Amino acid sequence: MKTWKIAALMLSVVLPSASLATDLEVTHWWTSGGEAAAVAEFAKAFDATGNKWVDGAIAGSGDTARPIIISRILGGNPMGATQLNPGKDADELIAAGLMQDLTDLATAEDWANILRPASQLESCTVDGKVYCVPVNLHSAQWMWTNRKVYTDLGIEPPKNFDEAVAAAPALQAAGIQPFSLAQGWPVGLMVNDILVAQAGVENFVKVYKDRDLAIAGGPEFTKVFESLAAVRQFVPADKMVPQWNEAVGLVIQGKAGANIMGDWAGGEFAVANMVAGQDYDCLPGLGVTPVLNTGGDVFYFPKSADPAVTEAQLKLASTLVTKEVQVAFNLKKGSLPMRADVDLSAANDCMKKGLAILDGSDAVFPNDVQMIDRDSINQINDLFTEFMANPDMAAADAQAKFVSIIEAAPK
Amino acid sequence: MDRPNPFFRNKWSKAASLPMMLIVWVVFVCGTIWTVLFSFTNIKILPLFTPQQWMDGFVGFANYTRLFKTDRWMSCPGITKILTEDWEFKCAGALPNMVTYAVFSIVISVSLGFLLAVMMDQKIRAEGVFRTIYLYPFALSFVVTGHVWAWIMSPEYGLQHSIRQLGWESFTFDWIADRQMVMYAIVIAGIWQGTGFVMALMLAGLRGIDEDIWKAAKVDGIPAWRTYLQIVLPMMKPVLVTTFVIVTSGAVRIYDLVVATTDGGPGISSDVPSRYIYQNFSANLGQSLAASTVLLVTMAIVLIPWIRMEFGKKSQA
């Protein structure tokens, strides 16, 4: 009996290192229907390499998953690989030497030339070394409108945000919500979209990256806060819905005129069998300035002492950017692929609009997390959340607070 | 002369409690000391441990200054206008929200719980059934409670909508979407969940009162309500204090109920300290530590009088 136990114990120690297949736990927060289908493509491709993808999905948004992921890496219980958003979230982890360096693989596979836009790989690069793999591009700068809502009232469907604001009183008189909005992060997303559309990309980057306080306190940003105050009166707190897809749903059902949401909203219109350009409009950059940010998802690989794990990590990193995997994953996810050299004939009109903007690369600008630390972003989000919910808060006060947050942000 | 060393008295029970003692010391005591100490450093997301790191990162009260300058934590605009006509004692933010929740949930759930316990004590029929019904909400997690009440109180889908559908067009119950009232909406959900538990504690206290007291009170012709208020209630002091401490500590650490009911909304008007601490966890640990220390001090203010009352007496006797 005893020898049997010892043998079993020894076997359990020996087996994992002896076998070729390595289990790699991958954490991510892709849990909705479409997202889960997309991530299954990654798993399938990785399993095909002879390794094993152990799914570690964390329910909830990135705000829920990020603290869990970071505390696991810090706590010495790292996963094999993890999804994060590109930006400064992992900077301290990289500085502490907790992340696997992918530079050799990136050079060997020439990522710098096959992945676009360049900004995406740049935000994975710290001191000339590559630490993460970008897998897709999402853009948040979209306004979605239901054409029928406007034509029924005899109004031309809006081609941009300003027209939608101008049409708002007529919609309200007819008992239709001019804008739908969901609680939580969609508020911040809408604020950011309006900010970029009204202040312009150049000013946005100057404030967030170069910390130009004169612009943050200047007339361009005053216009932003005044636009937000205008939207605020059309979406009082009791009209907000709990989830982003419900807000998109209100537009689909014709109960609301417009919704500002990222490109993933397109999936909801597709499910409702609506056709872009006929039943609904998708307006990149809110129709004001056709620009897209370069948000998206990246994978990081926490450093492991086990060479078998490191090998599997590099294998996975390489698998994620192969042509076939990029196409299969992105078609299901509704996002844009990292590679320009793939076939996307199955993409819908909105995706093609996005791709066209992406190819004229100066219309692509960096995400806020790529320019400023998470702590300051949280404070800015708090400020905007409060501003959008509190009708008593004056635009000038909010702008003054915004300036002080930008001023205090570490360079 | 052969007196055994007191250190080795009950040595097996001491050995058995060693793991627990270790956990208490390492996790609670050391964790607490670390939290307080490093709340004075510029710690960001990587934890620091050594004295050298503490010295290098020392920033004094900077985290606390920022904490109390943050509107989300606490803002009392009226108070700065002291001695003028606009003066008002009114604060918003996570900390005042917690105080509001604590005060209302303690007062309401303790008095309601006591009333229910008194009713239960009337030797009613099917007491077990009622006791189960009242205690049942306590078996539900705060997350479930919060989601259910969020739907009930939602102006778009819930009670307000249903009653308007029945024909009472002007009926309004939109606390959950009202910045001034949202904390009271959360109090409602909290009381629904917690009152049954308070009732159970109180009922146990009532059952602990000697029957002879009741007989004596009856002989003296004291009405039942006065017996409860003036004789039984003072005798239940230990139970009352325990209840108070449990309900208060529940209020100080409130998190899940708020996240499930409103997620801090509308805006940030129903934010609570634990939510602030958690959200700063992966962005600015210094804020989390400072906020935790403030909560610790708050708890100490509540607990120290209780500890003195419970354990201080014995040393006097």
Side-chain angles (χ1 to χ4, degrees), chain A residues 13-141:
Chain A
V13 175
V14 172
L15 263 182
S17 51
S19 67
L20 283 165
T22 310
D23 285 3
L24 213 56
E25 187 194 357
V26 187
T27 50
H28 58 86
W29 56 85
W30 289 326
T31 48
S32 87
E35 290 170 340
V39 83
E41 293 292 337
F42 279 160
K44 207 167 76 188
F46 185 59
D47 288 348
T49 65
N51 295 293
K52 193 164 183 306
W53 172 292
V54 180
D55 202 70
I58 300 168
S61 64
D63 289 336
T64 317
R66 208 175 294 114
I68 299 173
I69 291 169
I70 291 177
S71 66
R72 269 190 62 181
I73 299 173
L74 287 176
N77 176 25
M79 60 296 290
T82 185
Q83 174 207 358
L84 278 175
N85 292 123
K88 294 178 179 278
D89 284 341
D91 275 7
E92 285 197 52
L93 299 174
I94 292 170
L98 292 167
M99 291 301 196
Q100 176 66 38
D101 181 359
L102 306 171
T103 315
D104 292 343
L105 179 72
T107 326
E109 296 193 347
D110 198 20
W111 287 1
N113 287 319
I114 61 168
L115 303 183
R116 56 82 218 257
S119 61
Q120 224 36 25
L121 194 60
E122 263 167 37
S123 67
C124 279
T125 313
V126 179
D127 296 332
K129 287 180 176 167
V130 179
Y131 288 95
C132 61
V133 197
V135 294
N136 65 351
L137 281 175
H138 267 304
S139 51
Q141 282 69 28

Side-chain angles (χ1 to χ4, degrees), chain B residues 12-26:
Chain B
W12 289 113
S13 47
K14 275 176 184 161
S17 61
L18 202 66
M20 196 203 73
M21 298 286 278
L22 270 178
I23 291 172
V24 166
W25 275 97
V26 172

Side-chain angles (χ1 to χ4, degrees), chain A residues 127-179:
Chain A
D127 296 332
K129 287 180 176 167
V130 179
Y131 288 95
C132 61
V133 197
V135 294
N136 65 351
L137 281 175
H138 267 304
S139 51
Q141 282 69 28
W142 295 83
M143 187 166 81
W144 309 83
T145 58
N146 187 334
R147 293 179 66 95
K148 196 167 176 293
V149 168
Y150 295 93
T151 50
D152 281 359
L153 291 171
I155 310 168
E156 183 70 15
K159 282 180 219 64
N160 59 47
F161 174 72
D162 295 325
E163 286 181 26
V165 173
L171 265 68
Q172 215 167 21
I176 295 168
Q177 248 179 280
F179 293 94

Side-chain angles (χ1 to χ4, degrees), chain A residues 63-64 66-68 70-71 74 89 92-93 96 98 183 237-242 246 373-375 378-379 382 385-386 389-392 401 410, chain B residues 44-47 66 70-72 151 155-157 160 174 177-180 261-263 266-269 271 276 278-284 287:
Chain A
D63 289 336
T64 317
R66 208 175 294 114
I68 299 173
I70 291 177
S71 66
L74 287 176
D89 284 341
E92 285 197 52
L93 299 174
L98 292 167
Q183 288 151 5
D238 60 348
K239 291 280 180 219
M240 286 196 200
V241 290
E246 290 171 55
D373 63 307
R374 176 67 60 183
D375 185 22
N378 284 351
Q379 290 182 67
D382 288 347
T385 314
E386 181 62 8
N390 184 357
D392 301 330
K401 280 186 179 152
Chain B
K44 275 290 186 188
I45 72 167
L46 283 181
R66 179 175 147 191
T70 306
D71 287 348
R72 203 182 140 183
W151 284 107
E156 289 287 289
Y157 307 107
Q160 174 177 313
D174 59 353
D178 183 332
R179 303 171 44 76
Q180 310 297 329
T261 318
T262 62
D263 201 18
I268 48 174
S269 52
D271 202 16
Y276 184 82
Y278 181 72
Q279 293 203 335
N280 271 297
F281 210 73
S282 62
N284 189 339
Q287 282 296 296

Side-chain angles (χ1 to χ4, degrees), chain B residues 90-290:
Chain B
K90 200 172 165 195
C91 292
L95 194 64
N97 281 344
M98 186 203 81
V99 174
T100 309
Y101 179 83
V103 169
F104 279 86
S105 63
I106 292 164
V107 171
I108 299 176
S109 69
V110 170
S111 42
L112 209 62
F114 181 71
L115 265 176
L116 285 175
V118 168
M119 290 182 202
M120 285 288 160
D121 201 28
Q122 306 307 310
K123 304 197 168 56
I124 51 168
R125 207 179 295 165
E127 188 198 306
V129 175
F130 284 104
R131 215 167 42 197
T132 312
I133 291 173
Y134 288 130
L135 199 53
Y136 215 84
F138 192 67
L140 294 180
S141 73
F142 268 137
V143 174
V144 175
T145 309
H147 277 296
V148 169
W149 277 95
W151 284 107
I152 293 176
M153 296 192 285
S154 154
E156 289 287 289
Y157 307 107
L159 199 63
Q160 174 177 313
H161 182 70
S162 327
I163 291 187
R164 283 185 183 181
Q165 293 270 300
L166 290 175
W168 186 0
E169 292 285 330
S170 63
F171 178 81
T172 306
F173 179 60
D174 59 353
W175 285 8
I176 204 165
D178 183 332
R179 303 171 44 76
Q180 310 297 329
M181 301 304 290
V182 63
M183 273 324 285
Y184 303 101
I186 292 171
V187 168
I188 292 178
I191 286 170
W192 180 81
Q193 208 256 5
T195 301
F197 179 64
V198 173
M199 179 206 75
L201 285 175
M202 295 284 185
L203 193 56
L206 285 177
R207 293 283 150 86
I209 304 287
D210 200 331
E211 278 293 311
D212 292 341
I213 304 262
W214 279 102
K215 284 175 191 157
K218 243 184 205 142
V219 170
D220 288 345
I222 304 171
W225 67 271
R226 278 194 63 189
T227 318
Y228 271 117
L229 274 187
Q230 295 186 322
I231 301 171
V232 174
L233 205 56
M235 287 177 74
M236 280 172 60
K237 203 166 136 196
V239 175
L240 284 174
V241 172
T242 308
T243 312
F244 177 74
V245 169
I246 292 175
V247 177
T248 312
S249 58
V252 170
R253 65 181 153 80
I254 179 156
Y255 172 78
D256 29 12
L257 184 62
V258 172
V259 170
T261 318
T262 62
D263 201 18
I268 48 174
S269 52
S270 62
D271 202 16
V272 284
S274 312
R275 196 169 162 273
Y276 184 82
I277 292 169
Y278 181 72
Q279 293 203 335
N280 271 297
F281 210 73
S282 62
N284 189 339
L285 208 48
Q287 282 296 296
S288 292
L289 297 183

